Amino acid sequence: MTVDSAIAPDFVGELDPLFAQMARATTAHAGGVPGLTEREKVFLRLVADVCQGALGLPFELHVRGGLGHGVSTSDMRDLIRFAAYDTGYPAALAALARLAEIEEAEGLPRPEAALLPAAEVSTGPDATPTPLPASVLAEVTGLDPHFGAHLALQSRMRSRAGSGSLSVRERAFATMSVDVHYQTLEESFTVHVSRALGAGASHEDVRSVLRFAAQFGITRAWRAWKALNALLTTLG
């Protein structure tokens, strides 16, 4: 079952035929956005669900659709763990619990992941250096040292866990999407767009992320377009 065919199945039509018609038209238009792979679209749908707490029917349809596109629940878990840094751990935990329910219902094995070494989860002198750019670390530490240490910890953990199956481009697109949903369209948005461009994405590719995101909230996408267009002009 693919996402496009699953998004408005018969039982959605039974709930509300007009809504089903609207959903089919919306998802067909968004699904036709060029510049994104089907795998990237699966990840962007799941990120939207986690950010918006839409973990019932939408999340189930998107998980099953992802499986239909060859995306494993192990990859989906990697995505959710990775995104926890930006979505917040409670939202990610709720998504993992829901994903486990779907895995059980489908008879799928529960994927396992190796735990991180102690130095990766430490904030003491024995901690592994953070992958955060020095300029970013200095900026957030200047705001508050505890917050700086927290951001360094999160960056250190997510650079080693939850991203092994995700490309840099996929990770950048996922975090861009979080920025759109949460309307964090300043410093973090700049970092994430720049990371996508650094991974080889074109300006049109990053625009496609916003085009695809419009189906999850047009007013949020509208504001994000203003930020993205201004940013791309600055970045050249």
Side-chain angles (χ1 to χ4, degrees):
M1 178 187 296
T2 67
V3 170
D4 291 342
S5 64
I7 231 10
D10 290 344
F11 60 86
V12 176
E14 292 172 1
L15 289 174
D16 191 301
L18 177 55
F19 176 83
Q21 182 187 34
M22 294 164 63
R24 281 192 297 268
T26 298
T27 55
H29 186 253
V33 167
L36 300 175
T37 68
E38 289 303 322
R39 176 181 163 93
E40 288 166 347
K41 292 175 184 178
V42 168
F43 288 154
L44 294 178
R45 292 183 182 103
L46 294 175
V47 167
D49 292 334
V50 176
C51 289
Q52 299 186 16
L55 300 179
L57 178 58
F59 185 74
E60 180 176 351
L61 291 176
H62 294 155
V63 168
R64 294 181 187 278
L67 293 171
H69 282 301
V71 181
S72 69
T73 58
S74 178
D75 289 349
M76 296 179 198
R77 282 172 174 268
D78 275 358
L79 173 73
I80 294 169
R81 283 195 295 263
F82 174 76
Y85 173 102
D86 291 304
T87 65
Y89 280 79
L93 176 59
L96 285 173
R98 184 72 180 100
L99 182 58
E101 291 177 354
I102 297 171
E103 288 170 335
E104 183 175 359
E106 292 295 306
L108 298 172
R110 183 76 57 81
E112 297 182 359
L115 297 180
L116 295 170
E120 303 290 349
V121 296
S122 172
T123 56
D126 60 332
T128 302
T130 177
L132 272 177
S135 60
V136 175
L137 182 59
E139 179 179 352
V140 296
T141 302
L143 295 173
D144 179 74
H146 188 275
F147 178 63
H150 180 77
L151 187 59
L153 171 65
Q154 299 307 311
S155 296
R156 187 163 56 246
M157 291 193 298
R158 97 166 165 179
S159 70
R160 274 83 172 183
S163 59
S165 69
L166 309 179
S167 69
V168 175
R169 172 181 157 123
E170 289 168 344
R171 285 179 275 164
F173 285 177
T175 51
M176 275 183 61
S177 183
V178 175
D179 287 326
V180 174
H181 296 302
Y182 287 170
Q183 293 288 278
T184 49
L185 300 172
E186 297 176 330
E187 292 86 353
S188 64
F189 192 56
T190 298
V191 170
H192 299 151
V193 171
S194 298
R195 184 175 297 149
L197 296 174
S202 68
H203 284 202
E204 280 303 296
D205 292 339
V206 297
R207 288 188 174 103
S208 289
V209 175
L210 262 64
R211 291 170 181 144
F212 193 76
Q215 65 185 301
F216 305 111
I218 196 166
T219 52
R220 285 188 292 269
W222 189 343
R223 188 164 184 264
W225 270 114
K226 296 174 68 176
L228 180 63
N229 286 343
L231 177 59
L232 292 179
T233 299
T234 300
L235 295 175

